[in-house]
Amino acid sequence: MISRRARDTAARVFGPVAELLHRLGVTPNMVTLLGTAGVCLGALIFYPLDQLFWGTVVITVFVFADLLDGLLARSTDSASALGGFLDSTLDRLQDGSIFLGLLIWAFTVGGEPGIGVASGACLVLGHLVSYVRAKAEALGFTADVGLAERTERLVVTLVFTGFTGLGLPTLVLLVVLCVLAGASAATVLQRILAVRSQAAERD
């Protein structure tokens, strides 16, 4: 639901930007690469330097590229299978960088090993959520159910990480990450059960 709303908002707000980029010869894949580089650098440089708020600001700015590249592709009729593959692959890199940056911060300057463990769990389970869906679709099943889609995980993590950088108690971030890890694990289970049900219907 959040993903659809975000795309609708992006179409209204960033439509003129996409048109300008098109006139300048910028391709959707260029935007994807730039956005990924910005997210990764923001997470892996600012977070370990104990700049949770500013790191989140940088990441958020570049996360909009994830909306802009799709908008640019659709508005210029340049969507391609390669572009979709690249976008999906680099999404995993962005997510991993955010949780890895948090993990590094937690085990170093943050002094919050619990948050480090929770971040690691979110990293692994978040990738597993995406993998289960991709594997299911490769086998001809559908597995788009679940409590914790990528957009929801990303928004929740960035919001609470940014506020932690502004003084929110770290315990709140720990609880949020634990809940997020639990929701991701539940999503993995939901998708496995969905595939199991579809496989049983085939047999």
Side-chain angles (χ1 to χ4, degrees), residues 12-88:
R12 294 191 298 269
V13 176
F14 296 108
V17 178
E19 180 60 30
L20 175 61
L21 292 175
H22 177 58
R23 289 200 299 269
L24 293 174
V26 177
T27 67
N29 288 346
M30 291 179 184
V31 176
T32 300
L33 291 169
L34 177 62
T36 299
V39 169
C40 293
L41 291 175
L44 297 176
I45 293 178
F46 283 88
Y47 283 176
L49 291 176
D50 202 23
Q51 297 294 326
L52 298 185
F53 175 73
W54 289 112
T56 298
V57 170
V58 171
I59 291 168
T60 301
V61 169
F62 283 100
V63 159
F64 281 110
D66 191 44
L67 301 172
L68 187 57
D69 60 358
L71 177 61
L72 180 60
R74 291 188 295 273
S75 64
T76 59
D77 197 27
S78 57
S80 66
L82 175 61
F85 170 79
L86 182 65
D87 183 59
S88 180

Side-chain angles (χ1 to χ4, degrees), residues 54-145:
W54 289 112
T56 298
V57 170
V58 171
I59 291 168
T60 301
V61 169
F62 283 100
V63 159
F64 281 110
D66 191 44
L67 301 172
L68 187 57
D69 60 358
L71 177 61
L72 180 60
R74 291 188 295 273
S75 64
T76 59
D77 197 27
S78 57
S80 66
L82 175 61
F85 170 79
L86 182 65
D87 183 59
S88 180
T89 300
L90 294 183
D91 280 351
R92 307 288 81 73
L93 180 59
Q94 292 180 29
D95 296 353
S97 296
I98 291 170
F99 287 113
L100 180 59
L102 266 178
L103 185 152
I104 294 172
W105 167 81
F107 280 115
T108 55
V109 294
E112 295 285 347
I115 291 179
V117 172
S119 297
C122 287
L123 191 159
V124 173
L125 290 167
H127 279 73
L128 190 55
V129 167
S130 300
Y131 174 79
V132 170
R133 177 173 178 173
K135 185 63 176 180
E137 292 177 348
L139 295 174
F141 301 109
T142 57
D144 55 358
V145 298

